[in-house]
Amino acid sequence: MKWQLWRRLRAPAAPEMEAEIAAGLARLHALEQREASPELEQILLRQWREHRLAAAAQPSRGKVLPVWLRVSAGLAALLLVAGLWRLEVRRQARVDFSPARAHPAAHVSTIAQPHLIRGQASSAEAAKPALHLVRHSIRHSAKPSPALALAQRGWLPLPDSNPQLPLGRAMVVTVRIPGPMLTSLGLVSTPARSLRGASFPAQVLIGEDNFARAIRFVQTREEK
Amino acid sequence: MLAGDLEFTARAAEPEELATSEAGFAALYRRHQPALYRFALQMGARPQIAEEVVQEVFLELIRRPGHFLPSQGTVRGYLFGMGRNLLRNYWRRHRSETSWDQLVSEPDDQGRAALALDEQRDQGRQLRDLQIALAALPWRYREVLVICDLQEINYHEAARILGCRPGTVASRRHRGYKLLQSRLRRQRKEES
């Protein structure tokens, strides 16, 4: 069947016959005068009236959107709400620790609680001011305390340390300070209960007398 | 330019007619029904089936007038597209039961009278042969010839109706012509 069709299509064209066909088709078009029966018009008009009546009886619901559009709009709204909620949670939980700008020697003091210091000691050069922004999140802390406002200037003199004492040969050690300890040191006003389980990396400056004098929060490699 | 403006005006007015008044719908029906009915007949449907197609198309327009988008073409193209799909579905359903060639419509009294008148002028026979050859064409070529030549619809609108590109319409029309030539030649050989 397809072969026959192909053979006929491959036959050479005859322009005079093409003109004859075109004329014949035009003649057929001119001759064709048939129309559908008048009853059909009556039937359709009756249907139109019934449809209009039914539409008028129904309460107006406005334009109904397609199902896929409604579902995707719902999902988009849900995602938007979830994203906003997540942003709000992160905003509340974020506390910024600014880089230390001043030399540690300016804030050196003694510490009354040397047992806080543990971990690996680093070189004294690490005590130079860091230029990167130090950030760490403390969940459950809504407002920064005045002590945290001080922390934005870099090294923090520890309470009970004496700034009059000479620094001598300073040493810096990197430690992780438990969250409740921040409260007990007076660095944050957040209740110790809410910081339980959290720990924060920090550098502690130890003077020649082996007392901690100042503290600076840092960013670990994992956090970077 | 003038024809385009007129068509645009008609296109913009038709949905309003349909939505607002019964007289508007009647005017729309009277404007498009003859062409649609003849299209169905020329595609090989019997008069009853052609009427069913016309009825179904206009019922669909009554039920869902919002489906017609003026930006996507004219009302005529929309109606023809629906009619063409209905006819094709009908043909697919009944292909196994009967040959499509047997469904070729016989002209009614008016058509017979016109053909008889032409017979007197020795043209009616040729037209009858052409009609038979057209009815025997494969569906894809026949619909293009009916839409473009018998309904005088341009390639772009025909492409919208058929869901293909204007180039495809042109090439199918050309092939349809060649097939018609071949069939007419064969018929004449048999007669001679």
Side-chain angles (χ1 to χ4, degrees):
Chain A
M1 183 67 184
K2 279 188 177 175
W3 166 252
Q4 287 176 351
L5 195 67
W6 182 80
R7 204 179 54 178
R8 282 176 206 157
L9 285 172
R10 295 280 296 170
E16 72 286 347
M17 207 161 178
E18 200 169 314
E20 183 192 326
I21 290 171
L25 290 173
R27 183 75 189 140
L28 273 181
H29 170 65
L31 279 175
E32 188 62 84
Q33 296 296 329
R34 286 177 282 182
E35 288 187 11
S37 59
E39 291 83 28
L40 184 59
E41 185 177 345
Q42 297 308 315
I43 291 168
L44 284 169
L45 285 174
R46 199 164 53 239
Q47 290 280 345
W48 188 89
R49 273 179 235 122
E50 285 171 10
H51 182 79
R52 293 291 294 176
L53 282 174
Q58 279 180 356
S60 173
R61 290 184 303 173
K63 191 178 180 181
V64 180
L65 295 172
V67 175
W68 67 267
L69 197 61
R70 280 181 276 169
V71 168
S72 39
L75 282 176
L78 209 63
L79 282 174
L80 187 68
V81 168
L84 287 174
W85 178 77
R86 177 78 182 149
L87 274 178
E88 180 62 20
V89 166
R90 290 186 71 179
R91 192 186 64 77
Q92 287 183 359
R94 184 169 294 160
V95 175
D96 289 345
F97 294 93
S98 302
R101 291 196 185 91
H103 194 273
H107 303 286
V108 165
S109 59
T110 0
I111 184 168
Q113 296 163 297
H115 61 277
L116 291 176
I117 301 165
R118 53 197 162 88
Q120 188 184 355
S122 64
S123 67
E125 287 185 9
K128 288 180 182 175
L131 294 178
H132 60 270
L133 190 69
V134 181
R135 284 175 143 190
H136 196 90
S137 67
I138 304 172
R139 294 183 189 276
H140 314 295
S141 64
K143 293 178 182 176
S145 66
L148 283 178
L150 259 179
Q152 288 175 357
R153 290 202 292 270
W155 287 95
L156 296 170
L158 286 168
D160 302 329
S161 61
N162 186 0
Q164 302 301 324
L165 285 175
L167 179 63
R169 289 178 59 196
M171 187 173 66
V172 173
V173 291
T174 305
V175 296
R176 290 192 74 85
I177 299 180
M181 202 63 76
L182 293 177
T183 311
S184 64
L185 283 172
L187 292 175
V188 293
S189 63
T190 314
R193 188 179 61 247
S194 60
L195 291 174
R196 192 173 297 154
S199 64
F200 307 97
Q203 287 180 336
V204 178
L205 187 70
I206 301 172
E208 202 175 11
D209 53 353
N210 287 335
F211 282 102
R213 300 193 173 188
I215 187 169
R216 182 172 69 171
F217 292 99
V218 296
Q219 203 171 13
T220 60
R221 279 186 185 174
E222 292 81 29
E223 286 168 347
K224 284 177 189 173
Chain B
M1 188 67 188
L2 183 61
D5 288 346
L6 283 175
E7 190 178 354
F8 176 77
T9 313
R11 205 191 306 171
E14 275 168 350
E16 286 178 17
E17 287 173 7
L18 183 62
T20 51
S21 69
E22 188 177 330
F25 176 72
L28 183 76
Y29 173 80
R30 283 180 206 131
R31 192 182 304 151
H32 294 291
Q33 169 269 125
L36 190 60
Y37 180 72
R38 286 169 206 159
F39 168 67
L41 287 177
Q42 286 156 352
M43 283 306 294
R46 290 175 184 150
Q48 297 89 343
I49 294 165
E51 281 205 357
E52 276 181 26
V53 167
V54 172
Q55 183 176 0
E56 198 57 40
V57 165
F58 278 95
L59 275 178
E60 190 65 20
L61 195 64
I62 290 170
R63 287 185 203 126
R64 283 181 272 272
H67 278 206
F68 165 67
L69 299 173
S71 57
Q72 291 183 359
T74 59
V75 174
R76 181 176 66 166
Y78 177 68
L79 297 175
F80 269 70
M82 265 201 290
R84 178 239 182 193
N85 291 338
L86 285 170
L87 280 168
R88 196 173 52 174
N89 291 342
Y90 180 85
W91 177 60
R92 280 178 183 161
R93 275 203 307 273
H94 294 82
R95 186 164 44 179
S96 57
E97 296 169 14
T98 176
S99 159
W100 185 248
D101 291 346
Q102 291 170 7
L103 295 177
V104 171
S105 63
E106 286 294 319
D108 60 0
D109 295 341
Q110 206 177 3
R112 270 197 208 99
L115 283 174
L117 194 66
D118 263 26
E119 191 105 36
Q120 290 172 0
R121 297 175 195 157
D122 202 21
Q123 287 179 353
R125 191 181 182 78
Q126 285 178 10
L127 286 181
R128 185 70 193 146
D129 287 349
L130 182 62
Q131 216 174 7
I132 290 168
L134 184 66
L137 278 183
W139 174 273
R140 66 166 75 171
Y141 303 118
R142 190 183 343 156
E143 66 182 0
V144 170
L145 286 178
V146 167
I147 288 173
C148 294
D149 288 275
L150 295 181
Q151 296 296 327
E152 295 184 330
I153 293 174
N154 61 33
Y155 282 173
H156 286 277
E157 198 173 346
R160 281 208 188 98
I161 293 169
L162 301 175
C164 59
R165 287 187 290 186
T168 310
V169 176
S171 70
R172 282 186 191 171
R173 183 167 176 254
H174 177 69
R175 287 177 184 176
Y177 263 76
K178 289 188 87 173
L179 284 174
L180 269 184
Q181 283 178 23
S182 158
R183 284 179 193 277
L184 286 173
R185 264 199 217 109
R186 200 172 47 179
Q187 279 176 12
R188 284 173 193 174
K189 264 185 195 171
E190 283 169 6
E191 282 171 11
S192 62

